[in-house]
mmCIF file of all heavy atoms in Angstrom:
data_model
loop_
_atom_site.group_PDB
_atom_site.id
_atom_site.type_symbol
_atom_site.label_atom_id
_atom_site.label_comp_id
_atom_site.label_asym_id
_atom_site.label_seq_id
_atom_site.Cartn_x
_atom_site.Cartn_y
_atom_site.Cartn_z
ATOM 1 N N GLU A 52 7.256 62.875 -36.989
ATOM 2 C CA GLU A 52 6.800 64.105 -36.330
ATOM 3 C C GLU A 52 7.781 65.245 -36.605
ATOM 4 O O GLU A 52 7.368 66.380 -36.844
ATOM 5 C CB GLU A 52 6.642 63.878 -34.826
ATOM 6 C CG GLU A 52 5.412 63.080 -34.458
ATOM 7 C CD GLU A 52 5.316 62.750 -32.969
ATOM 8 O OE1 GLU A 52 6.362 62.826 -32.273
ATOM 9 O OE2 GLU A 52 4.214 62.419 -32.520
ATOM 10 N N ALA A 53 9.072 64.928 -36.573
ATOM 11 C CA ALA A 53 10.086 65.961 -36.863
ATOM 12 C C ALA A 53 9.963 66.424 -38.312
ATOM 13 O O ALA A 53 10.052 67.626 -38.604
ATOM 14 C CB ALA A 53 11.485 65.417 -36.584
ATOM 15 N N GLU A 54 9.754 65.473 -39.230
ATOM 16 C CA GLU A 54 9.589 65.837 -40.637
ATOM 17 C C GLU A 54 8.324 66.664 -40.824
ATOM 18 O O GLU A 54 8.322 67.626 -41.598
ATOM 19 C CB GLU A 54 9.532 64.582 -41.514
ATOM 20 C CG GLU A 54 10.871 63.892 -41.664
ATOM 21 C CD GLU A 54 10.798 62.636 -42.521
ATOM 22 O OE1 GLU A 54 9.816 62.460 -43.280
ATOM 23 O OE2 GLU A 54 11.719 61.816 -42.426
ATOM 24 N N LEU A 55 7.257 66.296 -40.127
ATOM 25 C CA LEU A 55 6.013 67.060 -40.211
ATOM 26 C C LEU A 55 6.231 68.489 -39.726
ATOM 27 O O LEU A 55 5.748 69.447 -40.347
ATOM 28 C CB LEU A 55 4.907 66.391 -39.392
ATOM 29 C CG LEU A 55 3.580 67.144 -39.306
ATOM 30 C CD1 LEU A 55 2.967 67.308 -40.695
ATOM 31 C CD2 LEU A 55 2.625 66.451 -38.363
ATOM 32 N N GLU A 56 6.967 68.630 -38.648
ATOM 33 C CA GLU A 56 7.263 69.965 -38.123
ATOM 34 C C GLU A 56 8.045 70.780 -39.156
ATOM 35 O O GLU A 56 7.754 71.951 -39.390
ATOM 36 C CB GLU A 56 8.042 69.863 -36.813
ATOM 37 C CG GLU A 56 8.387 71.191 -36.187
ATOM 38 C CD GLU A 56 7.172 72.021 -35.794
ATOM 39 O OE1 GLU A 56 6.133 71.435 -35.446
ATOM 40 O OE2 GLU A 56 7.258 73.258 -35.849
ATOM 41 N N THR A 57 9.022 70.137 -39.789
ATOM 42 C CA THR A 57 9.826 70.812 -40.814
ATOM 43 C C THR A 57 8.944 71.230 -41.992
ATOM 44 O O THR A 57 9.012 72.373 -42.462
ATOM 45 C CB THR A 57 10.955 69.881 -41.307
ATOM 46 O OG1 THR A 57 11.796 69.557 -40.196
ATOM 47 C CG2 THR A 57 11.785 70.533 -42.403
ATOM 48 N N VAL A 58 8.112 70.297 -42.463
ATOM 49 C CA VAL A 58 7.238 70.589 -43.601
ATOM 50 C C VAL A 58 6.232 71.681 -43.222
ATOM 51 O O VAL A 58 5.950 72.581 -44.020
ATOM 52 C CB VAL A 58 6.522 69.308 -44.085
ATOM 53 C CG1 VAL A 58 5.415 69.626 -45.079
ATOM 54 C CG2 VAL A 58 7.525 68.355 -44.717
ATOM 55 N N SER A 59 5.717 71.615 -42.007
ATOM 56 C CA SER A 59 4.772 72.641 -41.551
ATOM 57 C C SER A 59 5.435 74.012 -41.531
ATOM 58 O O SER A 59 4.833 75.011 -41.934
ATOM 59 C CB SER A 59 4.242 72.299 -40.156
ATOM 60 O OG SER A 59 3.479 71.122 -40.175
ATOM 61 N N GLN A 60 6.676 74.060 -41.071
ATOM 62 C CA GLN A 60 7.410 75.330 -41.044
ATOM 63 C C GLN A 60 7.658 75.834 -42.457
ATOM 64 O O GLN A 60 7.506 77.021 -42.752
ATOM 65 C CB GLN A 60 8.730 75.176 -40.284
ATOM 66 C CG GLN A 60 9.473 76.478 -40.108
ATOM 67 C CD GLN A 60 8.674 77.526 -39.354
ATOM 68 O OE1 GLN A 60 8.120 77.260 -38.306
ATOM 69 N NE2 GLN A 60 8.593 78.733 -39.910
ATOM 70 N N GLN A 61 8.031 74.900 -43.354
ATOM 71 C CA GLN A 61 8.258 75.294 -44.747
ATOM 72 C C GLN A 61 6.958 75.815 -45.372
ATOM 73 O O GLN A 61 6.967 76.789 -46.127
ATOM 74 C CB GLN A 61 8.796 74.109 -45.557
ATOM 75 C CG GLN A 61 10.215 73.726 -45.194
ATOM 76 C CD GLN A 61 10.660 72.434 -45.866
ATOM 77 O OE1 GLN A 61 9.857 71.660 -46.370
ATOM 78 N NE2 GLN A 61 11.965 72.198 -45.856
ATOM 79 N N PHE A 62 5.848 75.157 -45.044
ATOM 80 C CA PHE A 62 4.558 75.592 -45.569
ATOM 81 C C PHE A 62 4.218 76.993 -45.049
ATOM 82 O O PHE A 62 3.765 77.853 -45.810
ATOM 83 C CB PHE A 62 3.462 74.592 -45.189
ATOM 84 C CG PHE A 62 2.104 74.956 -45.705
ATOM 85 C CD1 PHE A 62 1.832 74.905 -47.058
ATOM 86 C CD2 PHE A 62 1.100 75.356 -44.836
ATOM 87 C CE1 PHE A 62 0.576 75.249 -47.550
ATOM 88 C CE2 PHE A 62 -0.148 75.697 -45.313
ATOM 89 C CZ PHE A 62 -0.422 75.649 -46.674
ATOM 90 N N ALA A 63 4.452 77.211 -43.764
ATOM 91 C CA ALA A 63 4.194 78.537 -43.181
ATOM 92 C C ALA A 63 5.066 79.590 -43.864
ATOM 93 O O ALA A 63 4.597 80.696 -44.175
ATOM 94 C CB ALA A 63 4.442 78.509 -41.678
ATOM 95 N N ASP A 64 6.343 79.246 -44.110
ATOM 96 C CA ASP A 64 7.244 80.167 -44.809
ATOM 97 C C ASP A 64 6.732 80.470 -46.217
ATOM 98 O O ASP A 64 6.768 81.628 -46.668
ATOM 99 C CB ASP A 64 8.662 79.592 -44.891
ATOM 100 C CG ASP A 64 9.353 79.518 -43.538
ATOM 101 O OD1 ASP A 64 8.854 80.139 -42.570
ATOM 102 O OD2 ASP A 64 10.393 78.821 -43.443
ATOM 103 N N LEU A 65 6.255 79.423 -46.915
ATOM 104 C CA LEU A 65 5.737 79.624 -48.265
ATOM 105 C C LEU A 65 4.480 80.498 -48.260
ATOM 106 O O LEU A 65 4.291 81.329 -49.151
ATOM 107 C CB LEU A 65 5.424 78.278 -48.927
ATOM 108 C CG LEU A 65 6.634 77.471 -49.379
ATOM 109 C CD1 LEU A 65 6.207 76.094 -49.882
ATOM 110 C CD2 LEU A 65 7.419 78.197 -50.456
ATOM 111 N N LYS A 66 3.640 80.319 -47.245
ATOM 112 C CA LYS A 66 2.454 81.162 -47.139
ATOM 113 C C LYS A 66 2.861 82.622 -46.949
ATOM 114 O O LYS A 66 2.268 83.522 -47.557
ATOM 115 C CB LYS A 66 1.570 80.698 -45.976
ATOM 116 C CG LYS A 66 0.750 79.474 -46.311
ATOM 117 C CD LYS A 66 -0.001 78.880 -45.140
ATOM 118 C CE LYS A 66 -0.872 79.803 -44.380
ATOM 119 N NZ LYS A 66 -1.627 79.170 -43.290
ATOM 120 N N LEU A 67 3.883 82.854 -46.113
ATOM 121 C CA LEU A 67 4.367 84.225 -45.922
ATOM 122 C C LEU A 67 4.937 84.790 -47.221
ATOM 123 O O LEU A 67 4.685 85.946 -47.571
ATOM 124 C CB LEU A 67 5.424 84.264 -44.820
ATOM 125 C CG LEU A 67 4.908 84.124 -43.389
ATOM 126 C CD1 LEU A 67 6.081 84.032 -42.415
ATOM 127 C CD2 LEU A 67 4.006 85.286 -43.025
ATOM 128 N N GLN A 68 5.706 83.962 -47.923
ATOM 129 C CA GLN A 68 6.282 84.419 -49.196
ATOM 130 C C GLN A 68 5.174 84.721 -50.202
ATOM 131 O O GLN A 68 5.242 85.711 -50.938
ATOM 132 C CB GLN A 68 7.225 83.357 -49.764
ATOM 133 C CG GLN A 68 8.521 83.221 -48.996
ATOM 134 C CD GLN A 68 9.395 82.089 -49.524
ATOM 135 O OE1 GLN A 68 8.996 81.337 -50.400
ATOM 136 N NE2 GLN A 68 10.591 81.967 -48.976
ATOM 137 N N TYR A 69 4.149 83.870 -50.219
ATOM 138 C CA TYR A 69 3.028 84.089 -51.134
ATOM 139 C C TYR A 69 2.322 85.396 -50.800
ATOM 140 O O TYR A 69 2.012 86.196 -51.688
ATOM 141 C CB TYR A 69 2.051 82.907 -51.058
ATOM 142 C CG TYR A 69 0.846 83.057 -51.946
ATOM 143 C CD1 TYR A 69 0.957 82.892 -53.323
ATOM 144 C CD2 TYR A 69 -0.400 83.369 -51.407
ATOM 145 C CE1 TYR A 69 -0.138 83.038 -54.152
ATOM 146 C CE2 TYR A 69 -1.506 83.519 -52.233
ATOM 147 C CZ TYR A 69 -1.384 83.348 -53.596
ATOM 148 O OH TYR A 69 -2.462 83.491 -54.408
ATOM 149 N N SER A 70 2.102 85.604 -49.513
ATOM 150 C CA SER A 70 1.459 86.844 -49.077
ATOM 151 C C SER A 70 2.309 88.049 -49.478
ATOM 152 O O SER A 70 1.792 89.059 -49.968
ATOM 153 C CB SER A 70 1.244 86.815 -47.570
ATOM 154 O OG SER A 70 0.705 88.018 -47.119
ATOM 155 N N SER A 71 3.607 87.930 -49.267
ATOM 156 C CA SER A 71 4.518 89.014 -49.638
ATOM 157 C C SER A 71 4.486 89.251 -51.150
ATOM 158 O O SER A 71 4.490 90.402 -51.599
ATOM 159 C CB SER A 71 5.934 88.665 -49.183
ATOM 160 O OG SER A 71 6.841 89.655 -49.585
ATOM 161 N N LEU A 72 4.450 88.172 -51.920
ATOM 162 C CA LEU A 72 4.382 88.313 -53.381
ATOM 163 C C LEU A 72 3.073 88.981 -53.804
ATOM 164 O O LEU A 72 3.053 89.790 -54.732
ATOM 165 C CB LEU A 72 4.519 86.950 -54.061
ATOM 166 C CG LEU A 72 5.926 86.352 -54.084
ATOM 167 C CD1 LEU A 72 5.896 84.946 -54.661
ATOM 168 C CD2 LEU A 72 6.877 87.226 -54.877
ATOM 169 N N GLN A 73 1.981 88.632 -53.106
ATOM 170 C CA GLN A 73 0.706 89.288 -53.419
ATOM 171 C C GLN A 73 0.807 90.788 -53.138
ATOM 172 O O GLN A 73 0.319 91.603 -53.931
ATOM 173 C CB GLN A 73 -0.430 88.679 -52.593
ATOM 174 C CG GLN A 73 -0.894 87.333 -53.106
ATOM 175 C CD GLN A 73 -2.053 86.794 -52.289
ATOM 176 O OE1 GLN A 73 -2.060 86.902 -51.071
ATOM 177 N NE2 GLN A 73 -3.021 86.207 -52.959
ATOM 178 N N ASP A 74 1.419 91.131 -52.011
ATOM 179 C CA ASP A 74 1.612 92.552 -51.686
ATOM 180 C C ASP A 74 2.465 93.238 -52.751
ATOM 181 O O ASP A 74 2.136 94.334 -53.213
ATOM 182 C CB ASP A 74 2.258 92.715 -50.310
ATOM 183 C CG ASP A 74 1.357 92.277 -49.165
ATOM 184 O OD1 ASP A 74 0.127 92.119 -49.390
ATOM 185 O OD2 ASP A 74 1.882 92.080 -48.045
#
Side-chain angles (χ1 to χ4, degrees):
E52 285 175 341
E54 287 179 18
L55 176 62
E56 180 62 31
T57 299
V58 169
S59 295
Q60 185 59 49
Q61 290 172 344
F62 181 69
D64 292 346
L65 286 174
K66 282 173 53 177
L67 286 174
Q68 288 176 354
Y69 179 74
S70 176
S71 177
L72 285 174
Q73 283 182 319
D74 293 345

